[in-house]
Amino acid sequence: MSIEISETIKVIMEMAAMMDPEDDYNTIVEAEEKIKASRAQKEKELEEAHANLRALSKNLEVAKQSAKRPKSVPSAEVHAATVNELDDSKLSLAKSISDAENLLASQEAELAALKEEYQSLEHYDPATEHEKDLDGTALRLKIYRGMGFDIAMNDKNQISNVLVRSQSGDVHPVSLEPQTEYTHQLWNLAAS
């Protein structure tokens, strides 16, 4: 039984070694850097789109002001087609700007959530939390129950029986009398 406890403790120690908040912190920092880079790219695209929109708006205004064209200027139909083409381009750019602004807003919200999570993780001390929650007896009982063994107490508050839940779902009581070799019997019942 002490071998089982030492193996259980060994498993618990291995699980504790796998929990590394440094990886979580690095992931958050990496995500913040990606979001910053993405935001900078989106802002650059947004500025370019605004510049294109201003240029196209100026072109449109110039085209509208020159409603009375001299003979050297193309016909009214060609001009109307050019104005329509510029209008379509303006609408397309406005939609692109709107989409970029929406994406930027969603990424800013995601960044705020990640910063909030980062703050909570920065103030979280897993070692202290683990010490608070650690109760050796309760932990061992939980591990035993997880393996299919439940301890039954008698009237004198001493362990009298072990209820073994087998893999088939059956429950078998095993008496723990001092002269009885019960370890082999427990494992056989658990595996049945």
Side-chain angles (χ1 to χ4, degrees):
M1 186 145 188
S2 65
I3 293 173
E4 295 170 11
I5 292 173
S6 65
E7 288 177 347
T8 303
I9 290 172
K10 181 179 175 185
V11 168
I12 290 171
M13 297 302 283
E14 289 174 1
M15 289 174 61
M18 291 189 305
M19 294 180 203
D20 186 13
E22 186 69 26
D23 288 341
D24 293 340
Y25 173 78
N26 290 336
T27 301
I28 290 171
V29 169
E30 187 177 89
E32 284 181 351
E33 290 173 0
K34 287 181 181 179
I35 289 172
K36 285 179 186 176
S38 176
R39 180 185 296 149
Q41 178 65 26
K42 294 300 177 185
E43 288 176 354
K44 180 181 174 186
E45 290 174 5
L46 188 61
E47 289 174 9
E48 290 174 359
H50 276 292
N52 286 338
L53 181 60
R54 282 191 295 273
L56 289 173
S57 294
K58 286 180 184 179
N59 288 343
L60 180 61
E61 289 303 318
V62 167
K64 286 181 179 178
Q65 289 176 359
S66 64
K68 295 183 180 179
R69 290 174 291 281
K71 293 184 180 185
S72 63
V73 177
S75 68
E77 294 82 21
V78 172
H79 180 70
T82 302
V83 169
N84 286 338
E85 195 175 291
L86 290 174
D87 278 340
D88 290 344
S89 179
K90 179 181 175 181
L91 290 174
S92 174
L93 284 173
K95 183 181 182 312
S96 296
I97 289 170
S98 175
D99 291 346
E101 287 173 343
N102 289 339
L103 180 61
L104 180 63
S106 70
Q107 287 181 342
E108 285 175 344
E110 182 181 352
L111 176 62
L114 286 172
K115 282 183 178 180
E116 186 177 315
E117 183 180 350
Y118 170 74
Q119 288 295 330
S120 68
L121 288 174
E122 194 171 278
H123 297 293
Y124 176 72
D125 183 11
T128 304
E129 291 296 319
H130 180 69
E131 285 178 13
K132 288 179 186 175
D133 295 338
L134 190 60
D135 177 10
T137 305
L139 186 59
R140 283 191 296 277
L141 285 174
K142 186 172 184 172
I143 291 170
Y144 292 149
R145 285 192 178 121
M147 294 186 324
F149 301 103
D150 284 327
I151 307 296
M153 307 295 271
N154 62 15
D155 295 337
K156 297 176 185 174
N157 206 19
Q158 295 175 342
I159 299 174
S160 63
N161 287 339
V162 174
L163 301 176
V164 180
R165 191 173 51 250
S166 66
Q167 290 178 354
S168 65
D170 295 337
V171 177
H172 305 279
V174 176
S175 177
L176 298 179
E177 296 176 14
Q179 292 81 19
T180 307
E181 173 56 41
Y182 52 83
T183 306
H184 187 67
Q185 182 183 4
L186 288 173
W187 286 113
N188 283 341
L189 290 172
S192 65

